[in-house]
Amino acid sequence: MTPPILQTSAHVKYIQTLDTHSDRLDYHLTTHLRLSGVYWGLTALHLLRHPTALPRPATIAFVLSCQHPSGGFGASPAHDPHLLYTLSAIQILATVDALDALDADKTVRYIAARQTPDGCFTGDEWGEKDTRFIYCALNALSLLRRLDAVDVDAAMAYVMRCRNPDGGFGMAPQAESHAGQIFTCLGALRIGGALERLMSQDQINVLGDWLCERQLPSGGLNGRPEKLEDVCYSWWVVSSLAMVGRVGWVDGGRLEAFILGCQDVEGGGFADRAGDVADVFHTVFGVAGLSLLGYEGLEEVDPVYCMPREVTRRVLGK
Ligand code: GRG
């Protein structure tokens, strides 16, 4: 069967109307994720070449309303600050070219205060430590051009302690390899400018093998052995391969067909697997995965930042 083509207008409408469902329970049950939800929707819209589909002033005002006096951002106004939402806030402002609206010094102080003596970062003041938060901190600080505020070498050394003999990386030293954590570790190494210095070509090849073994007979990818395929791994796995120049190691045609099969062709959006209910998280990673595979008509995505390449070029100057 021929896979469906990308239903761009249905996806744009799906994302545009997400904020009009305040009469629904799921809208309120996702308040604790809202700022990342805006980042996922906005990024998908930019990659779909509809960059002005959300109102810019209201988007900026919402982001700023989520800032806590400490400088960090919560997922919604008056929520506790966390590095996950602080990164989303900065990514949104960078994407809509409004970083000048941010009190950057205060935000940088919040992020830098999360680094622990071993080089890792905690997500918030309560202390959960994970390689995700190293990535969040370095991504955010690099967009603000303030990497100097933290100990990047210590962060790089911590990331390398999370590398496993199977070639992958986990959330902490000795933790199981997982494609999502591999994305964060490679992204951190790339932002820190240390990937080639700290990983040999042999190590990169072993990692590349582990990543392309994630492809299942359906064409979709899982995040670790013996698990189900999920559209979001089209991002975590393929962006990781892209960061080490090995996208061609997966069968792009079969993956593309799998991703397109997970669209809701009428209502818009992508689900984790065909036939499941669409959501904005799987929508951005489905669209971004297609962009990495070179799907026609999409903007190029930056595999390190999960933002339009044109935005990271403007903000980072490279
Ligand atoms: C800017 C793109 C971007 C990310 C910010 C939060 C973060 C940094 C990265 C998250 C990386 C990660 C751990 C992704 C995996 C997410 C996921 C689908 C987890 C599911 O884990 P399980 O154990 O699923 O429920 P599996 O598929 O292993 O059964």
Side-chain angles (χ1 to χ4, degrees):
M1 204 176 77
T2 336
I5 56 165
L6 182 66
Q7 303 295 321
T8 299
S9 51
H11 299 317
V12 171
K13 193 160 169 222
Y14 166 77
I15 296 165
Q16 274 181 316
T17 53
L18 281 170
D19 203 37
T20 61
H21 299 316
S22 56
D23 56 333
R24 282 179 14 189
L25 181 61
D26 58 353
Y27 180 86
H28 297 284
L29 291 178
T30 52
T31 312
H32 65 294
L33 298 171
R34 191 75 74 229
L35 199 51
S36 290
V38 175
Y39 154 69
W40 297 327
L42 181 74
T43 303
L45 288 169
H46 275 252
L47 298 179
L48 290 163
R49 297 195 168 151
H50 283 70
T52 57
L54 294 183
R56 183 176 182 272
T59 302
I60 298 170
F62 178 71
V63 171
L64 298 180
S65 75
C66 295
Q67 191 165 29
H68 186 265
S70 65
F73 287 76
S76 288
H79 281 218
D80 285 347
H82 197 287
L83 271 187
L84 288 171
Y85 307 108
T86 304
L87 171 60
S88 292
I90 293 168
Q91 288 179 299
I92 295 166
L93 294 177
T95 300
V96 301
D97 199 6
L99 277 174
D100 54 356
L102 180 73
D103 182 341
D105 287 341
K106 193 161 85 164
T107 311
V108 167
R109 275 197 298 277
Y110 173 82
I111 299 171
R114 306 276 75 74
Q115 191 165 31
T116 50
D118 58 7
C120 194
F121 284 78
T122 62
D124 59 18
E125 62 185 299
W126 307 111
E128 186 192 12
K129 248 167 75 173
D130 181 330
T131 47
R132 280 178 306 165
F133 309 136
I134 301 181
Y135 171 81
C136 289
L138 298 189
N139 180 334
L141 290 174
S142 65
L143 291 173
L144 298 175
R145 308 188 82 149
R146 287 300 314 276
L147 276 176
D148 62 296
V150 294
D151 187 340
V152 175
D153 286 343
M156 300 296 99
Y158 188 90
V159 167
M160 290 310 293
R161 286 178 53 209
C162 300
R163 188 178 164 272
N164 290 317
D166 63 10
F169 292 81
M171 64 192 292
Q174 275 103 50
E176 178 189 9
S177 294
H178 190 287
Q181 304 297 344
I182 293 173
F183 163 80
T184 64
C185 290
L186 291 183
L189 291 174
R190 271 273 169 257
I191 295 170
L195 200 146
E196 267 84 21
R197 179 165 53 83
L198 296 179
M199 284 184 78
S200 69
Q201 284 305 308
D202 280 352
Q203 289 175 337
I204 291 176
N205 285 335
V206 177
L207 170 65
D209 279 341
W210 190 94
L211 287 167
C212 63
E213 280 166 9
R214 307 280 55 80
Q215 192 155 31
L216 299 181
S218 65
L221 307 170
N222 64 12
R224 47 188 166 147
E226 309 301 328
K227 291 289 195 155
L228 289 178
E229 59 275 65
D230 180 321
V231 154
C232 73
Y233 295 115
S234 316
W235 172 259
W236 309 116
V237 172
V238 183
S239 61
S240 298
L241 286 168
M243 284 190 253
V244 293
R246 283 156 176 78
V247 171
W249 285 25
V250 285
D251 183 334
R254 282 171 52 231
L255 177 57
E256 187 177 292
F258 171 81
I259 300 173
L260 291 170
C262 295
Q263 299 177 98
D264 179 337
V265 289
E266 278 156 27
F270 289 71
D272 54 356
R273 284 177 285 281
D276 287 351
V277 176
D279 62 75
V280 68
F281 174 87
H282 290 94
T283 300
V284 67
F285 295 123
V287 173
L290 288 173
S291 169
L292 288 172
L293 295 173
Y295 192 87
E296 209 184 316
L298 290 177
E299 277 304 302
E300 187 189 345
V301 66
D302 186 321
V304 179
Y305 286 86
C306 195
M307 292 164 68
R309 188 69 190 96
E310 140 184 294
V311 171
T312 56
R313 235 179 243 129
R314 166 170 51 74
V315 176
L316 303 169
K318 57 182 182 191

